[in-house]
Amino acid sequence: MKNKKFNKTDSLGKIILIYAILVVACICSLYPILNILTISLRPSNALFTKSLNIIPQNATFDNFKQAFIQYDMLHWLLHSLIVSSCACIFSVMLSVTAAYTFSRFEFRGKNMGLSLILVTQMFPLAMTLLPLYLMIINLNMTNSYIALAVIYVSTSIPFNIWMMKGFYDTIPKSLEESAYVDGASVFRSFYQIILPLARPAVALTALFSFMGAWSEYIVASVIINDAVKLTLPVGLVSMQGQFNTAWGIYSAGALITALPVMILFICLSKYLVGGLTVGSVKG
């Protein structure tokens, strides 16, 4: 009985420790966001006040209005939405089909291809920026959203292929073999049987692809030089002045930047629970 009671006590302490760590992690994650929200709602651009209220006194949405009036925030949003959506769509299409090929078929160079795809993830994007820029200049594609989307797609595909392959490996091949017996083709069995089962992985792939393109700054700042074609991260950095910065408007712009990703996350949330365990179990 004593051992049983000790085990219960030990289990309770473990649960309390886990929840305590989660609470601390949530506080550390939410504090910067709440601080930005507070600054964006202040009537002035003062960074520090004696009040600890999240919603300050005389709170106003004037900074959000000024972000669209004083700056070209609407066009920045539109440009980023176009580039990120195109990168997301093509990345998902290529990753889903390529990963299925690596998972289900045997062909010469399969293992080498997977290894080479993995090797590309060892090099940071900043290291390949110079050759990419020279290639884009030779193709006369500077200040082009197409070039920007192609770079985003090429950098997101390797990770997405490995993630999708891990999920496909958990789906029994007997499902497709039954479809083949019934006369279904490879494409029909993939689109009607396998792809619906892979929705969690597809949703996670789409989210990662969109987030990577939406928040990327370094490549966009190099490829896009025209002030009329700036994407949202580059435009947000341009709001910083050399000697003075309107921190209220800047904080409002930062919250506007996070809004589309939050909406996409909420829309895909029902699929993410299964997608986060992609490839963890092979059956």
Side-chain angles (χ1 to χ4, degrees), residues 103-104 162-172 201 273-283:
S103 175
R104 287 296 192 260
W162 271 94
M163 183 174 63
M164 289 298 305
K165 180 185 178 299
F167 192 88
Y168 286 142
D169 290 341
T170 64
I171 301 176
V273 175
L276 290 173
T277 59
V278 164
S280 60
V281 179
K282 185 176 181 179

Side-chain angles (χ1 to χ4, degrees), residues 76-126:
W76 296 345
L77 279 167
L78 182 61
H79 299 161
S80 290
L81 187 61
I82 292 173
V83 174
S84 301
S85 299
C86 292
C88 176
I89 292 172
F90 285 101
S91 179
V92 170
M93 290 174 58
L94 295 174
S95 301
V96 164
T97 51
Y100 182 76
T101 302
F102 280 113
S103 175
R104 287 296 192 260
F105 300 102
E106 295 295 333
F107 52 90
R108 183 178 298 178
K110 172 182 175 180
N111 294 329
M112 181 179 293
L114 287 171
S115 300
L116 291 176
I117 290 174
L118 188 61
V119 167
T120 60
Q121 296 296 290
M122 299 173 60
F123 302 97
L125 184 59

